Amino acid sequence: MNTQAVALELFPELALAASEKPVRAKRAAKPKTAKKVAAESAPPFTVQLTATETHTPSDDAWEEMARKLESHPDYRVQRRLKPLLTWPGTLSGQAVRVVLLDTETTGLDASKDSIIELAMLRVDIDVATGLPVGDVQVYDGLEDPGRPIPPEVVALTGIHDADVQGQHLDEDRIKQLLEGVDLIVAHNAGFDRPFVESRLAQFAPVPWACSFADIDWKAQGQSSSKLESLAQANGWFYDAHRAEMDCHALLAVLAQKLPQAAHTGLAQLLEAAKRPSYALQATNAPFEAKDKLKSRGYRWNAEQRVWHTKLKDDASLNAECEWLKENVYGTRRAVVQIEKLDALVRYSSRAGVVTQQQL
């Protein structure tokens, strides 16, 4: 009778009692907080769709959605950069004719590698406003380098051997675009200028400016001076590393007012092109001054065995000479070498005017 089977046989009513669950008293419900009540009563975030609408939304509709989204502080919207082939407005005074240029090449050495793509945009810049005005003339051409394009270049640019086979730059069109041009701008002119000058002599007698080096992007609050990053900071994305699209992106970026200035990037480049810069060599600097020079930003030229630096204007040159005299040479007699670089030779492989200056 100690087993469950015997107990159920003698007292069958136990089975019925076991099947009935005891009734528990309900726990008093907790009062809802104001926060919970508000959360339950607030309408959920929804996107309203019209069941009968089957067509693709218009560009205006997409733009309206983008504006609504970016009005929220937790979101930023990136728009695809659309090339502008006609800039609004009329000239208010003097105009400067500018060519924006970009190349894609087989490598980094202009003495060994070749151009595989060259793009140029020619546009007039209103000197008073620093803005592009009127039509943009475009050239984009491919060229066969005569040897296979390296795989890393193909991966970067998307340009294959089949794309350039038998292709040649249109030299007549290029010469036409360069006629009457006051300034050429590239976003790394130190790279592009040697390539195009070795390919076509017509590029040499034109002044150049560099949107990478002639604008202090860090001082303008930008974390990177890469063209893609500058475009993203303005709310654009684009298919980079194709020459023509890079040119359109550069023009769009430079047409914007600089964050920490009262003028556009184009206006700053026009001014930079007017001023000479300098390459300074600290000739026969004492060995014990090497750490000071290095921390100052000087670089060591192992071939010429000299410390050197670049200075953007006359004021910087004069200040640097004073610093050298006080911190490097001291009471020693010192003569430094100064190379003056104007926009005609700056960023090229050609030398500027070299002089010696006694400190």
Side-chain angles (χ1 to χ4, degrees), residues 1 26 110 310:
M1 206 164 113
K26 291 185 178 181
K310 293 183 178 180

Side-chain angles (χ1 to χ4, degrees), residues 34-70:
K35 182 177 180 181
K36 188 172 182 180
V37 171
E40 291 179 353
S41 60
F45 178 76
T46 60
V47 177
Q48 186 174 2
L49 300 176
T50 304
T52 58
E53 186 177 13
T54 58
H55 66 277
T56 303
S58 66
D59 289 344
D60 290 341
W62 286 117
E63 181 61 26
E64 182 181 358
M65 286 187 277
R67 285 197 298 268
K68 287 182 178 179
L69 184 61
E70 67 186 355

Side-chain angles (χ1 to χ4, degrees), residues 228-246:
E228 284 182 88
S229 297
L230 297 175
Q232 288 172 4
N234 283 283
W236 302 310
F237 70 93
Y238 66 99
D239 299 323
H241 302 299
R242 285 305 299 265
E244 183 182 339
M245 197 60 221
D246 282 347

Side-chain angles (χ1 to χ4, degrees), residues 92-141:
S92 59
Q94 181 185 0
V96 173
R97 183 153 292 175
V98 172
V99 160
L100 292 96
L101 176 149
D102 187 55
T103 63
E104 303 297 341
T105 66
T106 57
L108 303 177
D109 190 341
S111 66
K112 299 177 182 178
D113 295 300
S114 304
I115 295 172
I116 55 176
E117 185 180 25
L118 169 65
M120 302 166 63
L121 305 183
R122 191 173 88 169
V123 64
D124 289 337
I125 308 300
D126 189 331
V127 175
T129 63
L131 293 173
V133 176
D135 294 338
V136 179
Q137 296 189 48
V138 180
Y139 170 75
D140 186 11

